[in-house]
């Protein structure tokens, strides 16, 4: 067994430099690091970690919750106090077996009637958003794309139609791209406080008047016969809002940009709409909105022959795994016909994204309507990539959409 070291000090620093993802070429760095070694040492905010960039090793760690815990945090840039508060309570930072109990409560809410209702919400939201964008001619597509997951999240939680404009606006500020924080550093915290207050009101309502929604399921569900606390319910609502918003929004924006930059792929989809399912999977692989997830070793264990001790943290670079040439032929090529496509965008193992099917359906509806309603799309200004080591996406995508 060996203790892995970074290729160079610079490479590990670059990996955690948000400017790389805003302005640089992360694919080149990932390839260089992966060629050199399967595991690299790194440091973030004074804390040591081990970076894994290969598809095979990422998959193996994700599928081994016995040796790799989620409960010590899911991201390098986490707030340790917030993580400690939510550990064992919020689904994404809870280990088995309790993780399975919370997951069953949330998953059980997706009845056939609820799924049908959410599908209607998707279609209505996309149609309205594209109508407005086409009428305006020019738009920032990040704003168009944001409306779909936020509307679905509100419906999923059980927010009544009359409250949705309020919640949509508050969620945009609390979980947005950071523009509001730049203008007013207190704005996201204030918006989050408003959302938590609303959860409290909605929870009380759903205890009195159960409906087919997530808040009702959390309010009346139990793990090992014990009801969830209000704190656990609020934390899991927050987790669903954050996770459900980011992946769909950034994949939508990145997917449209990829189609604009690869017009032959757009043409192939127009010629054969039956390619849409594989195109959506390729959009998910190519955009990889969740850059990394964190795990903590709970026992002496190896990753690709690299020895880890209990307490060692492992950053699994999902986006890099999705560009691993040993798994994906010509991995930096956007190909709507790619098959098979075992991407890691929704992770793997017991923490495989609970909303994967819903997010996939949202993207399918959006691109169905884009293909049907939009004849041409062109950039009207430079895209602005998100400056983050956690989220891979765009803060702005100025485009002109022309009706078909």
């Amino acid at each position: 067994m060996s203790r892995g070291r970074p290729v160079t000090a610079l490479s590990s620093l670059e990996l955690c430099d948000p400017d790389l993802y805003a302005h640089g070429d992360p694919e080149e760095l990932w390839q260089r690091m992966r060629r050199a070694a399967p595991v690299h040492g790194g440091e973030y905010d004074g804390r040591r970690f081990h970076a894994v960039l290969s598809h095979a090793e990422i998959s193996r760690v994700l599928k081994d919750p016995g040796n790799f815990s989620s409960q010590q945090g899911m991201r390098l840039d986490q707030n340790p106090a917030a993580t400690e508060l939510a550990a064992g309570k919020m689904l994404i930072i809870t280990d088995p077996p309790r993780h399975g109990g919370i997951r069953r409560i949330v998953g059980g809410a997706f009845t056939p009637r609820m799924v049908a209702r959410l599908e209607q919400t998707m279609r209505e939201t996309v149609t309205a958003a594209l109508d407005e964008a086409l009428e305006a001619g020019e738009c920032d597509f990040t704003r168009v794309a944001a409306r779909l997951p936020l509307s679905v999240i509100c419906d999923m939680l059980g927010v009544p139609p009359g409250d949705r404009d309020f919640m949509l606006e508050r969620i945009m500020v609390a979980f947005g791209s950071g523009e509001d924080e730049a203008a007013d550093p207190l704005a996201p915290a204030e918006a989050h406080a408003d959302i938590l207050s609303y959860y409290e009101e909605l929870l009380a309502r759903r205890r009195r008047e159960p409906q087919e929604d997530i808040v009702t399921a959390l309010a009346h569900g139990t793990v090992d016969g014990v009801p969830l606390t209000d704190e656990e319910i609020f934390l899991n609502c927050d987790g669903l809002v954050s996770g459900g918003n980011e992946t769909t929004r950034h994949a939508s924006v990145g997917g449209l940009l990829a189609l604009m930059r690869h017009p032959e792929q757009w043409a192939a989809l127009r010629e054969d709409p039956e390619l849409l399912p594989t195109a959506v999977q390729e959009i998910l692989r190519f955009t990889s909105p969740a850059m990394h997830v964190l795990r903590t070793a709970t026992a002496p264990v190896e990753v690709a022959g690299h020895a880890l001790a209990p307490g060692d943290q492992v950053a699994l670079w999902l986006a890099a795994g999705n560009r691993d040439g040993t798994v994906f032929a010509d991995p930096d090529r956007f190909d709507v016909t790619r098959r098979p496509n075992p991407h890691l965008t929704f992770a793997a193992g017991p923490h495989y994204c609970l909303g994967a099917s819903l997010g996939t359906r949202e993207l399918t509806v959006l691109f169905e309507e884009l293909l049907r309603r939009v004849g041409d799309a062109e950039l009207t200004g430079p895209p602005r990539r998100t400056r983050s080591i956690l989220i891979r996406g765009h803060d702005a995508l100025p485009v002109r959409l022309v009706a078909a």
Side-chain angles (χ1 to χ4, degrees), residues 11-18 20-21 26-27 29-31 33-34 38-44 49-59 61-62 74-77 285 288-295 313-324 328 343-345 347 388-392:
S11 63
S12 61
L13 288 173
E14 282 182 295
L15 187 66
C16 291
D17 182 358
L20 170 68
Y21 305 102
E27 291 85 3
L29 176 67
W30 299 336
Q31 185 182 52
M33 292 180 73
R34 193 167 43 237
V39 182
H40 301 278
E43 185 174 309
Y44 183 83
F49 71 93
H50 307 270
V52 181
L53 288 82
S54 80
H55 187 284
E57 293 304 323
I58 291 171
S59 299
V61 173
L62 288 172
M74 288 286 288
R75 50 193 284 183
L76 286 169
D77 58 346
R285 180 196 74 89
S288 296
M291 196 96 69
H292 76 267
V293 292
L294 198 66
R295 293 291 188 269
Q313 292 194 318
V314 183
L316 308 171
W317 234 260
L318 302 177
N322 281 345
R323 298 298 182 98
D324 188 336
F328 304 99
H343 63 77
L344 296 166
T345 300
S388 170
I389 67 165
L390 180 68
I391 298 300
R392 191 167 191 231

Side-chain angles (χ1 to χ4, degrees), residues 206-255:
R206 289 295 173 259
R207 283 185 170 135
R208 296 190 308 267
E209 305 167 4
Q211 302 289 331
E212 283 189 294
D213 57 51
I214 297 292
V215 172
T216 297
L218 292 169
H220 296 273
T222 62
V223 178
D224 296 329
V226 179
L228 299 179
T229 66
D230 288 5
E231 180 187 31
E232 288 173 315
I233 292 171
F234 299 157
L235 285 168
N236 282 289
C237 286
D238 246 20
L240 289 166
V241 169
S242 178
N245 178 34
E246 297 290 2
T247 299
T248 304
R249 175 162 60 100
H250 289 297
S252 299
V253 175

